[in-house]
Amino acid sequence: MKRLYLHILLLVAAVTGFVSCAEEDVEVKVHDICSFFEPAPDDNSEEAQIRRAFREKYHSFLLFNDTIQRSYVGLDINGDPYYDIETLGIDYTVGQGSYAGNKYSYIIHTEMDDKKEGLEFVETYLLPHITGNLQPFSWFVCKQINFTDTEGKPASHPYAAVGQRCVAVSTGVLSKLKTDAQRAKVVESCLLAMLGPMLKNHESELSRFYSLTTAGNLATIGASTEADATAVARRHGYLGIVRSNWGSFQTPSRETDTNQFASYLLQYDDEYMEQNFADYPLILRRWYVFKEILAEIGWVN
């Protein structure tokens, strides 16, 4: 009986404590995500002014550093300052439950002149192509992008990287360019690295383009040579083919299909396509539909 009475007392105490806690005002800090992408209100440096002017002109944030938040929290157990730090995480998707964040790293510009040169490159050669719904949430101008897909393998250095919250552009190579042809090649590489991934967020608009093929993605092509397999794929509306893990020929995945048309868009005009794909009317039909959709969502060729 005493044990039962004790259990009742404990239950009443727990319920009372729960109610009293519920009645207390609990402070919940809510951060505006935009505040992490803009300069601090009291920052009047030249860089901060450039970033604010960019935001005003293009309605996208401008970054020169992948550390987007560094706020003082207090002292750690050793008495050293402790900061709440958030980095860009370009491959992070909003709402993602966990994030490894180990694929991309960056070398940032440290000199103001290099930052200005990189920004001028973006404004002159990249931004004129990207308007409307294609305009990213933010731009990150850095010296070098390092991408490591598989542990143990050396990093690659793409000219650009696209995420849900940002487009990063590597501009450290600009000082090494000697000719207009070299600069044009870098511009094309940047745009190619950007366009395909940007279109991942517009698959609903591209449904008309996808629906025109007469064979599904990654469908096996029964051909003995690459030339014959390519001809079959082109009759179905695809520009190229891929190899399966077992070595057989296949139609490309949806992502590869989109990237192939994006690559052709950056390199060739209608006249070239008409001349080289006259025997493949479905490719030409998809070509014009692809261009039409891209224009609708903000791409300026």
Side-chain angles (χ1 to χ4, degrees), residues 249-291:
F249 300 113
Q250 292 181 319
T251 58
S253 66
R254 179 171 287 190
E255 181 179 350
T256 301
D257 179 33
T258 304
N259 288 340
Q260 287 174 345
F261 272 85
S263 176
Y264 272 65
L265 182 67
L266 294 171
Q267 300 178 72
Y268 307 118
D269 56 15
D270 293 344
E271 182 180 358
Y272 174 92
M273 296 298 291
E274 294 279 359
Q275 290 177 353
N276 287 272
F277 294 96
D279 295 333
Y280 303 103
L282 194 49
I283 282 184
L284 294 177
R285 186 179 174 191
R286 295 189 78 211
W287 167 259
Y288 288 111
V289 168
F290 186 72
K291 290 182 62 178

Side-chain angles (χ1 to χ4, degrees), residues 47-93:
E47 179 176 319
Q49 293 176 36
I50 289 174
R51 291 174 61 197
R52 291 191 186 102
F54 184 92
R55 168 68 172 165
E56 181 69 23
K57 185 175 182 180
Y58 299 108
H59 309 292
S60 291
F61 294 102
L62 174 64
L63 304 171
F64 292 111
N65 197 315
D66 63 315
T67 299
I68 58 176
Q69 179 191 199
R70 187 176 186 271
S71 56
Y72 177 74
V73 176
L75 300 178
D76 62 16
I77 193 172
N78 298 316
D80 298 321
Y82 175 73
Y83 295 90
D84 184 11
I85 297 176
E86 180 175 351
T87 55
L88 184 60
I90 201 163
D91 49 347
Y92 171 78
T93 301

Side-chain angles (χ1 to χ4, degrees), residues 43-291:
D43 186 352
N44 294 313
S45 63
E46 181 182 11
E47 179 176 319
Q49 293 176 36
I50 289 174
R51 291 174 61 197
R52 291 191 186 102
F54 184 92
R55 168 68 172 165
E56 181 69 23
K57 185 175 182 180
Y58 299 108
H59 309 292
S60 291
F61 294 102
L62 174 64
L63 304 171
F64 292 111
N65 197 315
D66 63 315
T67 299
I68 58 176
Q69 179 191 199
R70 187 176 186 271
S71 56
Y72 177 74
V73 176
L75 300 178
D76 62 16
I77 193 172
N78 298 316
D80 298 321
Y82 175 73
Y83 295 90
D84 184 11
I85 297 176
E86 180 175 351
T87 55
L88 184 60
I90 201 163
D91 49 347
Y92 171 78
T93 301
V94 176
Q96 187 173 329
S98 61
Y99 173 63
N102 59 353
K103 290 188 176 182
Y104 287 95
S105 63
Y106 313 92
I107 298 175
I108 63 173
H109 288 300
T110 56
E111 300 297 328
M112 196 64 225
D113 286 345
D114 294 331
K115 296 176 183 179
K116 288 180 177 178
E117 182 182 34
L119 176 57
E120 182 183 8
F121 175 82
V122 169
E123 289 189 291
T124 304
Y125 298 103
L126 305 184
L127 273 167
H129 294 281
I130 301 165
T131 65
N133 292 333
L134 281 179
Q135 185 67 260
F137 180 76
S138 66
W139 291 85
F140 172 32
V141 177
C142 62
K143 183 176 183 179
Q144 181 175 294
I145 302 171
N146 306 313
F147 176 73
T148 305
D149 190 29
T150 305
E151 187 176 351
K153 288 188 176 182
S156 61
H157 307 292
Y159 284 106
V162 177
Q164 193 178 59
R165 301 190 297 176
C166 186
V167 171
V169 181
S170 170
T171 59
V173 71
L174 296 182
S175 60
K176 302 176 183 178
L177 303 180
K178 304 300 182 183
T179 66
D180 291 341
Q182 290 176 330
R183 183 174 294 272
K185 189 64 177 177
V186 171
V187 171
E188 181 184 306
S189 297
C190 284
L191 292 173
L192 183 57
M194 290 162 50
L195 182 55
M198 279 182 167
L199 294 178
K200 286 183 179 180
N201 297 324
H202 298 275
E203 288 207 345
S204 59
E205 293 95 328
L206 287 165
S207 59
R208 283 189 291 135
F209 166 74
Y210 296 137
S211 67
L212 291 174
T213 59
T214 54
N217 298 108
L218 300 178
T220 300
I221 300 174
S224 57
T225 67
E226 184 172 338
D228 288 343
T230 301
V232 171
R234 288 180 173 178
R235 286 197 292 272
H236 287 300
Y238 296 104
L239 285 169
I241 57 174
V242 295
R243 290 268 196 171
S244 72
N245 293 333
W246 299 273
S248 59
F249 300 113
Q250 292 181 319
T251 58
S253 66
R254 179 171 287 190
E255 181 179 350
T256 301
D257 179 33
T258 304
N259 288 340
Q260 287 174 345
F261 272 85
S263 176
Y264 272 65
L265 182 67
L266 294 171
Q267 300 178 72
Y268 307 118
D269 56 15
D270 293 344
E271 182 180 358
Y272 174 92
M273 296 298 291
E274 294 279 359
Q275 290 177 353
N276 287 272
F277 294 96
D279 295 333
Y280 303 103
L282 194 49
I283 282 184
L284 294 177
R285 186 179 174 191
R286 295 189 78 211
W287 167 259
Y288 288 111
V289 168
F290 186 72
K291 290 182 62 178

Side-chain angles (χ1 to χ4, degrees), residues 29-42:
K29 293 183 179 180
V30 179
H31 294 286
D32 178 4
I33 186 65
C34 294
S35 65
F36 297 162
F37 287 79
E38 58 190 2
D42 58 349

